[in-house]
Amino acid sequence: MRFLITGGAGFLGSHLTDAMLGQGHEVTILDVASDLKVRHQLGNPQFRYVRDSILNREILEGLISWCDVVYHLAAVVGVEHYVGDPYQVLNVNVNGIQAVLQVAFKAQKKVVFSSTSEVYGKSSVVPFREEGDRVLGSTKIDRWCYSTSKAVGEHFCFAFHKLGLPVVVIRYFNVYGPRLDQMDVGRVITIFLGQVLRGEPVTVVGDGKQTRCFTYVDDAIRATVSAGLKEEAVGEIINIGSDEEICIKDLAAVMVRLSGSRSSLTFVPQEAVYGKSYEDIRRRVPDIRRMREILDVSPQVKLEEGLRRTIDWFRSPS
Ligand code: UDP
C-alpha cells in the first residue's frame, strides 16, 4: 500500500515510516523539518521525502492522490510552543488538518489523525475514556491552545466522516523513545536525560506528584499502524497509551538509577519553568480498552525497559 505521512520527519512520523517501509509498503513523507530522523531511509526506493508545508495545497493534492491512506501527524507540538507561539500552534494545527481533510475528501482517501491526550485537559475523571468530557482552562491561558487546536481537528474529522470520509482519530499519551526531542529540550524525558547524563540536578516541577503513563514508541507505532489498516477503527477515537502510571518524582529517581547517575532531585516551581501562563495536569491515565479490542495491540514494553533503551540510544545515537 501507499502511505502519505505528514510530519513524517518527526519523532512519531519517522518511526511510523520505518514500520511501514519494514512491512513492504511505499511511504512518502511531507514535512518542513530536516531529514535528520529519516536520513537512514533516503536511499530506499520505496521512500520519498518532500520537504514542504502542509499548507501548500498543490503539493498536498498531488501527494494525496498518490496514496491510499493519509496519516496526518504534522503539527506544532511542545510546551515551549504552546506558551511561546500560540499563533503558530493554532494556525498550523487547525488549518493543517482542515486542508488534509478537504483534499482527502475530494480524493476519497482514508485519514488517520494524530491527536493527543492533551484533549482531555485537566479532567479528573481517570482513566480517560475516549467519550469522556474535556476540561480546559481559560483562553487567556496559552497552554490550552494546543489542546483546543487538536480538539478542533477532531471535530473537523467527524464533520467529514459524517459526509462519508473514512477517518480515525488516535490520541497519544506521552510517547517516548529513541529520536524523541533533542536532549534538554521538549518533553520531560529528554530534559531529565540531559540532566542525568551530565550528573546535574534533575528539575522536578512542582511537588512531582503529578502522574503520567509513558508509552514506549514501538507500542505506540504498532497501534498506529493498526489504526490505519483495521476497518473497525474507522469513525472511532482511540487512546494510544500504556496503563503503567508513574509520578514525575519517581520517574526522575528511576532515570537517575538506570543511568547510574549521581544526580540529585531538585524541586522547581512551575512558573519558573513555564511562566505564569501554564497549568499542569495532575493525573493523566488512559483507558486503553479500545486500543486492545479494536486495534488488537497491548503495550509490551515496561517503563524501565523502555527507559533503558532510550538512555542507551541517547548515549550513542544511531
Ligand atoms: N516536568 C518536570 N520537569 C521538567 C519538565 C517537565 O517535572 O524539567 C513535568 C511537567 O511539569 C509535567 C510532566 O513532567 O508534569 C510531563 O511534562 P511533558 O512536558 O513531558 O508533557 P505533558 O505530559 O505535560 O504534556
Side-chain angles (χ1 to χ4, degrees):
M1 284 175 75
R2 291 171 161 183
F3 292 95
L4 171 64
I5 304 176
T6 74
F11 166 55
L12 283 168
S14 67
H15 283 280
L16 180 61
T17 297
D18 289 346
M20 290 303 192
L21 290 169
Q23 293 184 12
H25 299 297
E26 287 179 69
V27 173
T28 294
I29 67 170
L30 174 63
D31 205 311
V32 284
S34 89
D35 62 10
L36 200 68
K37 292 176 179 169
V38 288
R39 207 164 273 171
H40 55 287
Q41 296 290 4
L42 288 179
N44 187 334
Q46 303 276 91
F47 173 71
R48 184 167 46 143
Y49 162 51
V50 179
R51 190 166 185 180
D52 214 310
S53 165
I54 186 71
L55 301 177
N56 182 332
R57 185 60 73 113
E58 215 178 303
I59 297 265
L60 196 61
E61 281 175 352
L63 296 179
I64 289 183
S65 70
W66 166 86
C67 74
D68 300 305
V69 176
V70 187
Y71 276 96
H72 181 55
L73 274 66
V76 180
V77 191
V79 178
E80 68 277 21
H81 298 292
Y82 317 159
V83 296
D85 196 353
Y87 170 73
Q88 242 346 58
V89 171
L90 292 162
N91 182 38
V92 172
N93 295 3
V94 174
N95 294 321
I97 181 62
Q98 197 181 357
V100 165
L101 289 165
Q102 283 170 350
V103 176
F105 183 67
K106 264 200 218 146
Q108 282 300 301
K109 301 290 171 69
K110 187 197 277 190
V111 175
V112 181
F113 175 53
S114 80
S115 187
T116 169
S117 53
E118 272 285 310
V119 162
Y120 298 101
K122 50 187 174 178
S123 167
S124 55
V125 186
V126 287
F128 295 160
R129 299 193 64 173
E130 287 87 346
E131 314 313 343
D133 288 343
R134 295 184 286 127
V135 182
L136 306 187
S138 160
T139 50
K140 292 286 261 181
I141 298 175
D142 291 330
R143 70 99 67 228
W144 299 116
C145 74
Y146 177 68
S147 173
T148 301
S149 74
K150 287 290 189 176
V152 171
E154 293 191 13
H155 271 300
F156 268 121
C157 286
F158 293 118
F160 275 91
H161 182 57
K162 234 178 183 168
L163 298 173
L165 186 71
V167 298
V168 184
V169 171
I170 50 185
R171 292 181 180 158
Y172 291 111
F173 282 71
N174 292 84
V175 185
Y176 72 101
R179 295 187 215 144
L180 189 61
D181 317 287
Q182 273 175 289
M183 258 197 295
D184 298 312
V185 294
R187 283 148 276 196
V188 65
I189 289 190
T190 29
I191 293 174
F192 284 180
L193 255 166
Q195 295 165 341
V196 296
L197 293 185
R198 287 191 303 269
E200 291 168 3
V202 182
T203 54
V204 175
V205 167
D207 61 6
K209 288 187 184 149
Q210 66 274 32
T211 72
R212 297 292 185 271
C213 293
F214 294 94
T215 312
Y216 191 65
V217 65
D218 291 1
D219 288 331
I221 293 301
R222 282 188 303 118
T224 307
V225 169
S226 180
L229 299 177
K230 291 240 184 223
E231 202 41 50
E232 310 87 285
V234 170
E236 300 286 352
I237 306 170
I238 305 174
N239 290 335
I240 294 187
S242 95
D243 41 17
E244 197 181 344
E245 185 178 11
I246 187 169
C247 72
I248 297 302
K249 187 160 57 85
D250 290 350
L251 173 76
V254 170
M255 289 183 67
V256 169
R257 174 166 56 79
L258 292 179
S259 59
S261 170
R262 51 189 162 74
S263 291
S264 55
L265 307 195
T266 174
F267 292 82
V268 294
Q270 190 180 292
E271 308 83 70
V273 186
Y274 300 120
K276 279 209 163 57
S277 178
Y278 198 75
E279 287 180 71
D280 211 343
I281 310 290
R282 290 306 291 174
R283 259 188 100 187
R284 179 183 286 157
V285 181
D287 180 320
I288 54 172
R289 276 178 289 181
R290 282 191 189 169
M291 171 173 149
R292 288 201 162 101
E293 285 158 20
I294 300 178
L295 302 183
D296 200 18
V297 172
S298 296
Q300 285 176 354
V301 182
K302 290 273 175 222
L303 182 62
E304 288 211 9
E305 173 56 22
L307 285 174
R308 240 183 237 116
R309 293 188 202 174
T310 307
I311 293 167
D312 284 350
W313 188 86
F314 275 91
R315 273 193 168 128
S316 50
S318 55

